[in-house]
Amino acid sequence: MPQSGIVKYHVKLSYEVDGLVERADIIGAIFGQTEGLLGPEMNLNELQRVSKVGRIEVNAKSTSNTTSGDALIPMSTDIDTCALIAAGIESIDKVGPFDCKFKLEAIDDVRAAKKDDIVRRAKEIKQKWATKTVSEGESMLNDVHQGDAKKLSTYGPSKLTCSSGLADSNWVILVEGRADVINLLRAGYDNVLAIEGAKIDESIKELCNSKDTVVAFLDGDRSGGFILKELKSLVNLDYALQADTGVEVEELTPQRIDEILRPIADEIKQGKPAPQLKSEDDKPIAEMAAKVFPNLNETLEAIALDGDQNEIFKVPISEVVSKLSSQSGIKYLLLDGIITQRLLEGAKNAGVECVIGHRVAKLSNSEGMTLKTFGDLGVS
């Protein structure tokens, strides 16, 4: 087929001739006996001239008195023209003086075959280069990991994992494990020490006594709560923080870590005194929160109480703001989640005096409200 022709279909036919003939006889019969049959524009010679039909290939196999074989006609026409040409060739009944019979075996869409080849090749390319990319990606991650690992050190006789900047910092962040230390390093915090177990090592107490500010930053699960209780019984904590509910510190993004720790870091940088976790004024609130907490923790719900600590409603956190707009007489609002600006505004409009949650977001216009975390109150 000329360069300008693009093969779309392969018309495949078989034939049988009751006599001995040559390949040239078969080709001659195909051209000669279809000429004028379908109109001048459908003659095979004309279709070849305009690059609609390519070179016809014929295979022949002879016995003692018969000839059989197959013919392949490459075409760049539409499927209708292919069908007409195939039907015209099937009508041939003579090759020279001998009777013959042509039969259409198939019309193959060459483009479909090409598509299959393209897909197959694409899979090979993907496998080769995806493997290379994954390998390079793992190498890059390893480089990052090694970079963080170089900033790791150990502390005390138990060789607890810590970041290398711990000794020079005036405050310390206590986390649960080595992976937490590495994750905080990625977020830019290099004053971190891993507790590495629920049993608090004596060297941790010594370190905390030497620091101006001690921050606990533990996983947002029940295990993190247990460790926090143990810490509070042995170490004077200035801040008690937990990751989002159900999330481990090592799973937090650097951005989320910074959102949680940045307010504390800024206060320490500005020389503001650390807040007291629990005062005598907080004792009634702490006792109330301690009663509610077991039935609230890890439920993703909020509980509203009146001044006598009677329950007004208990709803999912997602519904609490809309619920507040239709209620009155609420004094305390306790929630298994974060105290957000939107929730704060809803509580103020409802006349709520005290809101208690796991954590307090960066808020504005909180004057006149008592905002506490369960950690502040020694409840977890």
Side-chain angles (χ1 to χ4, degrees):
M1 180 172 282
Q3 292 289 337
S4 59
I6 300 175
V7 177
K8 296 181 181 178
Y9 300 99
H10 280 163
V11 178
K12 297 179 179 179
L13 303 107
S14 61
Y15 65 88
E16 293 180 359
V17 182
D18 294 332
L20 297 176
V21 296
E22 302 289 337
R23 289 176 60 255
D25 299 322
I26 300 297
I27 295 173
I30 291 173
F31 278 93
Q33 294 192 45
T34 58
E35 186 176 359
L37 185 64
L38 304 173
E41 72 280 0
M42 300 289 281
N43 287 342
L44 289 173
N45 284 321
E46 176 62 20
L47 291 173
Q48 278 192 334
R49 187 185 69 81
V50 295
S51 302
K52 294 296 185 181
V53 172
R55 183 175 180 273
I56 299 176
E57 298 178 8
V58 174
N59 295 313
K61 182 179 179 181
S62 298
T63 62
S64 58
N65 57 2
T66 63
T67 304
S68 62
D70 56 68
L72 184 146
I73 307 173
M75 303 187 68
S76 62
T77 63
D78 54 50
I79 189 64
D80 294 338
T81 302
C82 289
L84 279 171
I85 295 297
I89 295 174
E90 279 191 326
S91 71
I92 298 172
D93 56 6
K94 292 286 185 180
V95 175
F98 304 109
D99 292 336
C100 74
K101 182 179 180 181
F102 280 81
K103 179 184 177 183
L104 176 67
E105 298 295 336
I107 299 179
D108 293 340
D109 189 333
V110 177
R111 295 167 300 177
K114 285 184 177 179
K115 289 176 183 176
D116 291 340
D117 289 340
I118 290 170
V119 171
R120 177 188 56 78
R121 178 57 180 152
K123 288 179 179 178
E124 292 175 355
I125 292 171
K126 176 186 174 183
Q127 183 176 11
K128 175 181 177 182
W129 289 98
T131 302
K132 179 179 176 63
T133 302
V134 169
S135 176
E136 290 177 348
E138 288 178 349
S139 177
M140 291 167 67
L141 286 174
N142 186 58
D143 288 345
V144 173
H145 178 76
Q146 292 299 326
D148 290 331
K150 291 177 182 177
K151 298 177 183 178
L152 294 179
S153 184
T154 59
Y155 175 80
S158 298
K159 297 190 179 301
L160 303 174
T161 302
C162 68
S163 46
S164 57
L166 178 64
D168 298 328
S169 177
N170 64 343
W171 64 297
V172 59
I173 304 171
L174 302 177
V175 296
E176 294 184 36
R178 185 176 188 274
D180 301 336
V181 177
I182 293 175
N183 206 22
L184 263 69
L185 272 171
R186 291 170 180 160
Y189 294 88
D190 66 347
N191 57 331
V192 188
L193 174 67
I195 298 168
E196 297 185 1
K199 185 177 180 181
I200 310 302
D201 193 89
E202 285 295 322
S203 62
I204 295 178
K205 292 192 286 185
E206 296 174 5
L207 174 71
C208 292
N209 289 334
S210 69
K211 299 296 182 181
D212 295 337
T213 306
V214 179
V215 178
F217 187 17
L218 307 175
D219 295 345
D221 53 19
R222 192 175 294 274
S223 175
F226 291 147
I227 294 174
L228 185 58
K229 284 183 178 179
E230 181 70 14
L231 264 179
K232 287 179 178 177
S233 68
L234 299 172
V235 176
N236 292 321
L237 296 178
D238 298 302
Y239 297 89
L241 307 173
Q242 284 188 267
D244 301 310
T245 304
V247 179
E248 297 180 2
V249 171
E250 67 181 85
E251 298 171 334
L252 295 172
T253 64
Q255 180 182 4
R256 185 70 187 117
I257 290 173
D258 197 50
E259 288 176 355
I260 296 171
L261 291 175
R262 178 55 53 191
I264 295 173
D266 289 344
E267 286 187 4
I268 293 172
K269 187 175 180 180
Q270 295 168 14
K272 294 183 179 179
Q276 297 300 312
L277 293 175
K278 190 173 177 182
S279 67
E280 286 301 313
D281 293 338
D282 290 336
K283 190 173 181 180
I285 299 176
E287 291 175 351
M288 177 267 295
K291 293 178 184 177
V292 174
F293 186 80
N295 296 322
L296 180 66
N297 190 40
E298 298 185 1
T299 64
L300 296 179
E301 294 180 324
I303 295 177
L305 307 177
D306 63 17
D308 296 322
Q309 300 182 13
N310 297 312
E311 183 176 316
I312 297 177
F313 65 74
K314 183 178 183 181
V315 297
I317 290 177
S318 59
E319 301 174 13
V320 68
V321 175
S322 60
K323 189 71 173 177
L324 286 169
S325 64
S326 61
Q327 296 288 334
S328 60
I330 302 171
K331 184 173 182 178
Y332 306 103
L333 180 66
L334 300 90
L335 61 143
D336 180 39
I338 302 171
I339 303 174
T340 63
Q341 187 67 47
R342 180 169 175 263
L343 187 140
L344 173 66
E345 297 297 337
K348 289 188 73 172
N349 293 335
V352 177
E353 296 180 15
C354 177
V355 181
I356 304 171
H358 283 295
R359 194 162 62 254
V360 181
K362 188 175 181 179
L363 304 173
S364 61
N365 194 30
S366 61
E367 294 80 7
M369 294 278 291
T370 299
L371 305 178
K372 297 287 183 180
T373 68
F374 290 108
D376 292 339
L377 301 171
V379 178
S380 59

